[in-house]
Amino acid sequence: MSNKTSFLPMVIIGVLFFIFGFVTWLNGSLIPFLKVICDLNEFEALFVTFVFYISYTVMALPMSYVIEKIGYKNSMALGLAIMAVGSLLFIPAAQSASFTLFLIALFALGSGLTILQTASNPYIVCIGPIESAAMRISIMGLINKGAGVIAPLLFTAFILSGIGSLEDLTAHSKEELASKLVVPYIVMALLLSSLIILVKFSKLPELEFEKDEADEQKSIFAFPRVVLGASALFFYVGIEVMAGDTIGLYGQHLGLTNVTALTSYVMSFMVIGYALGVALIPKYLSQERALIGSALFGILFLLGVVLSSQSHGISEVLWGWSGIRTLPNTVTFVALLGFANALVWPTIWPLALEGLGKRTAQASALLIMAIAGGAILPLIFGKISHISGDMQSTYLLGMISYLFILLYAIKWHKIKSWNEL
């Protein structure tokens, strides 16, 4: 598409990416809240991330067939409808203060997001030149993570109004605390329903691909860059969620206050990373080099998490201008992982999808299934942390993620057959 014809799709998809970010990064605030009202330990609390992200693995492949059947535009509207239903399920969950019902509601939200992500990510890749796809996805990332900054702050301001802080929750009944979730999720359901109308009646063009009979006869697993790209995304989403959704638990572990807002720090650094991606890719920085840099920064910051103290040296430098000196160094390095993670998603997608044509929907489904990393790796993190009692050292688990991403960036995205591996 030309710049003129791609403007409207970019605006509409941008709205959807804001919804992705808002709904997804509410979990970082929801986890310590549900930990209190449902009497959970760290391992049990991280089932919030497990159920939410495992829905992508369960639903992605079926949703790819739905997309092939009804098209990308109608699939986006369907995804919003499923999310609206998931939001409404929070009402009986809150009224009963049942962790099981909360998990069912989260699975429904994740299922709706699955079809939205499966349809919208390849849409952004394919509406312009492939070499600038990472730049377009970075724009979406700015919107997505901007919502991630706002969501925890709104959650903290609204849910904790009249309570004080997370540490004061025990002074209130579980039913009273859980009931505070009803109104926000009703509002979310109404907003999602209105977006269905926007997508359904917009002039959003349908994606069309040229046929390649030879490639259509191949299994999607015959494309190493797709399979290895999905594996890299598995590890990426795992470390992204570990940073964004465990920073609140880590802050709680260290005795910090207002920990439901800590996810905003991670998202703020991601916004900075996405802004650099928009400015630098592809004119000054190739997609491959951006991915290599992301992996190296991730390794550096993880070492900072594990090796730094719980004092405020670097934290005072980073936050001092705003009067914020509450974050220990080790927590600040967790937040900095957001910067390292920002350009991984935008760069892997175009590297994995290039030239797939009609197989794009299936390849997209495989990449979306990799979001299960956000279900599995944080849960492993929670288990190790619970057993060892040393949450700080447990962040070393993320090294596996960045090393795999680095290998994909250097070599694996280039191979065309498994014999080259």
Side-chain angles (χ1 to χ4, degrees):
M1 295 182 186
S2 66
N3 289 336
K4 185 176 179 181
T5 56
S6 64
F7 177 74
L8 177 62
M10 286 283 287
V11 171
I12 294 173
I13 301 299
V15 172
L16 297 182
F17 268 78
F18 183 88
I19 296 299
F20 300 163
F22 196 91
V23 173
T24 300
W25 297 110
L26 269 179
N27 289 341
S29 299
L30 194 62
I31 288 169
F33 188 76
L34 292 182
K35 181 175 181 289
V36 173
I37 65 175
C38 297
D39 294 324
L40 309 173
N41 59 40
E42 285 83 2
F43 175 65
E44 293 167 336
L46 285 170
F47 267 93
V48 168
T49 60
F50 177 80
V51 168
F52 185 81
Y53 288 103
I54 204 67
S55 64
Y56 285 92
T57 299
V58 174
M59 302 303 295
L61 198 56
M63 292 307 180
S64 72
Y65 293 114
V66 171
I67 292 171
E68 291 178 353
K69 189 73 174 178
I70 68 176
Y72 285 80
K73 178 178 174 179
N74 289 332
S75 296
M76 292 175 195
L78 176 61
L80 289 166
I82 296 172
M83 288 180 67
V85 172
S87 298
L88 292 175
L89 288 174
F90 269 81
I91 299 173
Q95 290 174 338
S96 62
S98 167
F99 188 52
T100 300
L101 288 180
F102 278 122
L103 295 181
I104 292 172
L106 285 163
F107 186 88
L109 276 175
S111 297
L113 277 173
T114 300
I115 191 168
L116 276 176
Q117 292 261 32
T118 306
S120 61
N121 279 285
Y123 206 101
I124 289 297
V125 171
C126 296
I127 61 173
I130 192 71
E131 63 270 13
S132 61
M135 180 270 289
R136 292 191 298 278
I137 300 177
S138 292
I139 294 174
M140 297 299 107
L142 276 171
I143 298 168
N144 181 277
K145 267 52 186 190
V149 173
I150 295 169
L153 298 177
L154 285 180
F155 182 95
T156 301
F158 188 87
I159 299 298
L160 298 184
S161 62
I163 294 176
S165 67
L166 193 66
E167 291 70 31
D168 300 323
L169 293 182
T170 52
H172 302 263
S173 69
K174 294 179 182 179
E175 291 75 15
E176 178 189 357
L177 295 172
S179 66
K180 281 187 163 287
L181 294 171
V182 173
V183 173
Y185 281 93
I186 289 178
V187 172
M188 188 184 296
L190 292 174
L191 290 174
L192 290 167
S193 298
S194 65
L195 286 175
I196 296 172
I197 299 172
L198 171 67
V199 171
K200 188 68 177 175
F201 295 100
S202 69
K203 294 181 179 180
L204 197 65
E206 190 61 56
L207 290 181
E208 295 181 1
F209 300 99
E210 295 180 1
K211 287 188 176 182
D212 187 325
E213 299 295 339
D215 277 353
E216 285 193 12
Q217 293 174 4
K218 295 180 182 178
S219 163
I220 197 63
F221 295 100
F223 298 90
R225 70 179 182 276
V226 177
V227 177
L228 293 173
S231 302
L233 283 180
F234 174 91
F235 287 111
Y236 154 70
V237 177
I239 186 60
E240 181 191 38
V241 174
M242 276 172 56
D245 282 3
T246 68
I247 190 170
L249 288 176
Y250 189 33
Q252 199 173 38
H253 178 73
L254 296 178
L256 303 183
T257 58
N258 294 325
V259 296
T260 54
L262 287 179
T263 299
S264 291
Y265 292 102
V266 183
M267 297 300 104
S268 296
F269 280 116
M270 291 199 82
V271 167
I272 294 171
Y274 279 122
L276 286 175
V278 172
L280 300 178
I281 298 173
K283 188 174 182 180
Y284 303 104
L285 186 67
S286 70
Q287 295 172 153
E288 293 92 335
R289 289 185 180 276
L291 189 56
I292 291 171
S294 296
L296 293 176
F297 271 121
I299 292 170
L300 178 66
F301 293 148
L302 271 182
L303 291 174
V305 173
V306 175
L307 299 178
S308 64
S309 69
Q310 297 175 12
S311 61
H312 302 278
I314 189 174
S315 299
E316 291 183 5
V317 174
L318 287 172
W319 313 116
W321 63 272
S322 62
I324 301 173
R325 291 184 173 88
T326 58
L327 291 189
N329 287 345
T330 180
V331 179
T332 294
F333 276 112
V334 176
L336 280 166
L337 290 174
F339 179 81
N341 292 335
L343 295 182
V344 178
W345 182 274
T347 51
I348 287 180
W349 274 84
L351 293 176
L353 292 185
E354 185 175 3
L356 289 179
K358 287 284 187 180
R359 306 306 298 268
T360 297
Q362 286 187 23
S364 177
L366 191 63
L367 295 177
I368 290 297
M369 288 174 72
I371 291 177
I376 296 170
L377 293 187
L379 203 62
I380 295 173
F381 174 93
K383 188 65 174 178
I384 295 173
S385 175
H386 179 63
I387 293 173
S388 68
D390 183 3
M391 188 175 288
Q392 185 173 4
S393 297
T394 307
Y395 278 100
L396 279 175
L397 178 65
M399 282 292 182
I400 301 171
S401 296
Y402 291 122
L403 290 173
F404 195 99
I405 291 167
L406 185 62
L407 287 170
Y408 185 77
I410 293 173
K411 179 182 178 181
W412 290 345
H413 77 277
K414 300 176 184 177
I415 64 176
K416 296 181 179 179
S417 73
W418 289 108
N419 294 330
E420 299 176 34
L421 188 62

